[in-house]
Amino acid sequence: MSLTLLIDLDNTLLTNSVETFVPAYMKALSEFMAPFINPDQFFKALLAATRKMLQNQDPGCYLKDVFDTSFYPQLGVTPEDMRPHLEKFYAEVFPTLKHLTKPRPEAIHLVRTALDRGYRVAVATNPLFPLTAIEQRLSWAGLSPDEYPFAYVPSYESIHFAKPNPAFLAEMLARLGWSKEPAIMIGDDPDNDIQCAKELGIPAYLVDGNISGFSSPIAHGAGSLTEVLPWIDSLAPDDLQPDYTSPIALQAILRSTPAALYSLCHMLPLEQWNLRSQPGEWSQTEILCHLRDVETELNLPRLNNVIQETNPFIPGKDTDRWAEERDYISQDGSQALSQFSTSRMRLLALLSQLQPEDWQRPARHAIFGPTTLHELVTIISGHDQLHIQQLHSLIQSFRKLGN
């Protein structure tokens, strides 16, 4: 069985008490910056900017952008002013915090065995730190990314959402190409890890905790790290199948799509955006133009009609023809991505206003027959995942050609 394991870092892969480490980290950083900025002012700005990252819902803003926009104006300095000092801190001072942590041999065994089994392993840590701080903590855990081929390690430079927002896990899965294989969240925090996974609709395993009374149709387990793989082995494949159909999960996936597109698309140089990997396949620009036009001309009008009208009729559309008819390959992919993101935010704003009963509003589809708003949004989510898979495959093809 093929799986993706999304594994938390602090107090899962690495013994690291948040109550001890975070105050020590903030104190060390504030004191290091004291010659340049008042420590109290620095500390307050740091807390406020961190809260902004936790609250972010904008798929167009990486967490670092959210942090920078909040943090530096409070201090009256620019990121360029602070960059050399921060780089020195993470190179010279941050490593001294290692003594507050402790590696877990059972975590190393779990990761090694999972990789030996052919599982994909991604580090699902809350991405509130720069990549260097996360990679250093992985090294402290005995799991250096230089030695262990993690599928993805998020950081505030590379991702748009934070736990417990289920869009964080959705963005991670999108960055991994929305593989058809099941994914399991493994972590120590009932809210940040287990509840987050439950809201997205994927199985979860609570490390060193108890989930008695935690009701969910999705498989959830609890126990030590050494019991993770036996728990997985005890489950039938059907027990691990995700359920992305709740309104919360659907909105998380829809929000994650433009976020993941911003990251995935820039894995290719601009000169390759309008190239096809082989005849008959779409280029990156064609995929983006397709998503833009479907969102603007179909998804938004259809959902508006279902909300505003009584059981409206929804005609079918052959949108695949638009790629040639509208000459997508000659268009501007970056502009198409921006326009898609704008339309998606309008769609998400529309969904956010719905009452629970509104999700069952009926419609008549020319192809599907009787349907509901909920089913239409589920189709949009599946369409997103399909084209993320297509884009991921295209990127992989170009990367193989470049090797």
Side-chain angles (χ1 to χ4, degrees), residues 154-165:
S155 66
Y156 87 148
E157 298 102 334
S158 68
I159 204 163
H160 302 75
F161 311 112
K163 300 177 189 178
N165 187 345

Side-chain angles (χ1 to χ4, degrees), residues 315-329:
K317 279 278 189 181
D318 181 6
T319 59
D320 287 352
R321 296 171 50 191
W322 291 353
E324 295 297 331
E325 292 174 354
R326 302 183 179 188
D327 194 24
Y328 283 164
I329 202 167

Side-chain angles (χ1 to χ4, degrees), residues 240-255:
L240 294 173
Q241 290 306 308
D243 181 5
Y244 299 129
T245 60
S246 75
I248 291 177
L250 290 170
Q251 290 173 88
I253 292 171
L254 297 185
R255 192 174 300 277

Side-chain angles (χ1 to χ4, degrees), residues 21-44:
F21 184 84
V22 171
Y25 159 74
M26 289 192 165
K27 182 174 183 290
L29 184 55
S30 298
E31 289 179 352
F32 183 81
M33 292 296 179
F36 318 104
I37 297 171
N38 177 276
D40 289 339
Q41 184 185 8
F42 185 93
F43 185 77
K44 289 177 182 177

Side-chain angles (χ1 to χ4, degrees), residues 7-254:
I7 311 181
D8 178 50
L9 174 54
D10 296 302
N11 285 329
T12 301
L13 294 176
L14 173 71
T15 298
N16 186 15
S17 169
V18 174
E19 290 77 13
T20 301
F21 184 84
V22 171
Y25 159 74
M26 289 192 165
K27 182 174 183 290
L29 184 55
S30 298
E31 289 179 352
F32 183 81
M33 292 296 179
F36 318 104
I37 297 171
N38 177 276
D40 289 339
Q41 184 185 8
F42 185 93
F43 185 77
K44 289 177 182 177
L46 187 62
L47 285 178
T50 300
R51 282 195 293 269
K52 290 287 187 181
M53 289 194 289
L54 290 167
Q55 296 165 357
N56 186 54
Q57 293 281 9
D58 186 349
C61 284
Y62 289 100
L63 292 180
K64 184 180 185 302
D65 298 329
V66 175
F67 180 89
D68 288 357
T69 301
S70 170
F71 182 68
Y72 293 107
Q74 293 182 70
L75 302 178
V77 297
T78 68
E80 291 71 25
D81 293 333
M82 299 301 295
R83 183 176 295 116
H85 306 300
L86 289 173
E87 288 176 352
K88 186 175 182 180
F89 170 81
Y90 283 108
E92 299 179 5
V93 180
F94 190 79
T96 67
L97 301 176
K98 179 181 177 179
H99 74 279
L100 299 173
T101 71
K102 184 179 178 182
R104 306 183 73 173
E106 64 272 30
I108 298 172
H109 176 74
L110 169 62
V111 172
R112 275 187 188 155
T113 306
L115 292 171
D116 288 344
R117 289 185 176 195
Y119 297 169
R120 290 197 303 176
V121 180
V123 180
T125 185
N126 218 356
L128 304 177
F129 287 88
L131 182 60
T132 179
I134 294 169
E135 289 184 336
Q136 286 185 56
R137 298 206 311 282
L138 281 169
S139 295
W140 301 347
L143 292 165
S144 168
D146 294 333
E147 299 177 32
Y148 290 85
F150 293 112
Y152 180 49
V153 179
S155 66
Y156 87 148
E157 298 102 334
S158 68
I159 204 163
H160 302 75
F161 311 112
K163 300 177 189 178
N165 187 345
F168 164 74
L169 291 178
E171 184 178 1
M172 284 200 66
L173 292 174
R175 288 290 301 267
L176 295 171
W178 277 117
S179 173
K180 294 180 181 179
E181 65 194 23
I184 299 173
M185 178 67 211
I186 301 167
D188 71 292
D189 191 300
D191 295 320
N192 280 344
D193 300 321
I194 309 306
Q195 182 63 27
C196 185
K198 178 184 175 182
E199 290 186 351
L200 183 62
I202 64 173
Y205 185 94
L206 180 63
V207 176
D208 302 330
N210 191 321
I211 58 167
S212 59
F214 192 87
S215 61
S216 172
I218 304 296
H220 294 296
S224 67
L225 280 174
T226 59
E227 296 171 299
V228 171
L229 293 176
W231 172 74
I232 291 172
D233 293 339
S234 73
L235 299 172
D238 287 348
D239 295 331
L240 294 173
Q241 290 306 308
D243 181 5
Y244 299 129
T245 60
S246 75
I248 291 177
L250 290 170
Q251 290 173 88
I253 292 171
L254 297 185

